[in-house]
Amino acid sequence: NPCNPCAASNPCAASGNPCNPCASGNPCNPCAASNSCNPCAATNPCAANPCNPCGAGGGNAELKAQEAVAVYDCLLDELDRVYAKSGKDAAAKFTDWRRYSQRPYVSATHGGRYVQNYANPTAKAYGSFEQAGEMPAGSVMAKDSFTVAKASGKARLGPLFIMEKMPEGWYAKSDDWRYTMIMPNGQVVGTTKGQGSGNVQFCIQCHKVGSGPEVDSMMFLPANLRVK
């Protein structure tokens, strides 16, 4: 994938390139909590960069509800196949779980991409949304993503975002959530406390700052799009 920011052959990974989010001293490093280039920051100037794993890039089409549903239905077979290449169990199973979004919707905290919300049976309390309380260990939520180019009308899959509740005390800084981001070629960009953990550090920051302990660091979709 030419937009994989950590690939050695990627021109965006060149030393000194401000768009390389893997560079520790990079002004667009998404792992910097206080940085305006954090992809979850409202003023983030890097969000439109195609080499930012959480940025959808510019020139994306705005879809009507029916159009978004039609595109997603067309992508289902492909997204099942490509995300499963990661070897992650949730990536191969999540479309069999209950979906809590009525249709694809634009998520500002996921690069302005269209997303859908899924949760496994252990996470059934997620359907209570703000009243869900603390989720039990083994709860897994998944959010796939896609965009449609305004100029060509071509649909492109984006990353798959997964958050899994681990046993109490696993990692206090993340409220015991393990975050994983998988690119649409099956590459795992990062996993909390695992390989590439720094690349998903901003997930922890977004969820803790954007939601808080009263909802167990979960962020919810718009009320009018929820399946209850």
Side-chain angles (χ1 to χ4, degrees), residues 19-219:
C19 293
N20 173 15
C22 299
S24 58
N26 170 355
C28 290
N29 175 10
C31 301
S34 60
N35 194 321
S36 63
C37 287
N38 172 356
C40 294
T43 57
N44 170 18
C46 299
N49 190 309
C51 291
N52 173 1
C54 277
N60 294 306
E62 293 184 14
L63 306 177
K64 295 179 180 178
Q66 301 92 325
E67 292 172 333
V69 170
V71 170
Y72 188 76
D73 287 347
C74 287
L75 291 172
L76 268 174
D77 288 344
E78 181 183 3
L79 65 86
D80 273 339
R81 177 178 57 82
V82 298
Y83 294 140
K85 291 180 180 179
S86 66
K88 297 293 184 181
D89 190 57
K93 294 180 177 179
F94 77 96
T95 54
D96 293 328
W97 301 342
R98 184 175 182 185
R99 195 176 74 207
Y100 289 90
S101 47
Q102 295 180 17
R103 59 174 173 80
Y105 66 96
V106 175
S107 174
T109 54
H110 295 83
R113 294 181 174 88
Y114 284 88
V115 301
Q116 297 257 50
N117 295 58
Y118 291 85
N120 73 350
T122 305
K124 62 182 180 181
Y126 179 79
S128 297
F129 301 104
E130 286 83 358
Q131 284 72 50
E134 185 173 348
M135 303 297 282
S139 296
V140 187
M141 276 86 84
K143 187 173 291 182
D144 51 8
S145 66
F146 73 90
T147 57
V148 175
K150 186 182 298 183
S152 66
K154 183 178 180 179
R156 293 184 60 185
L157 287 175
L160 173 66
F161 304 90
I162 299 171
M163 56 187 294
E164 177 184 2
K165 190 71 171 183
M166 305 299 287
E168 184 176 358
W170 182 77
Y171 192 47
K173 291 182 179 180
S174 69
D175 291 335
D176 297 325
W177 286 103
R178 178 167 64 189
Y179 295 89
T180 299
M181 183 166 66
I182 300 170
M183 295 299 281
N185 62 354
Q187 182 198 6
V188 179
V189 173
T191 301
T192 305
K193 290 184 68 177
Q195 187 171 0
S197 60
N199 296 327
V200 292
Q201 184 66 23
F202 58 83
C203 298
I204 298 173
Q205 295 157 3
C206 282
H207 279 261
K208 295 196 76 166
V209 173
S211 56
E214 66 278 3
V215 290
D216 199 14
S217 289
M218 293 184 289
M219 300 177 74

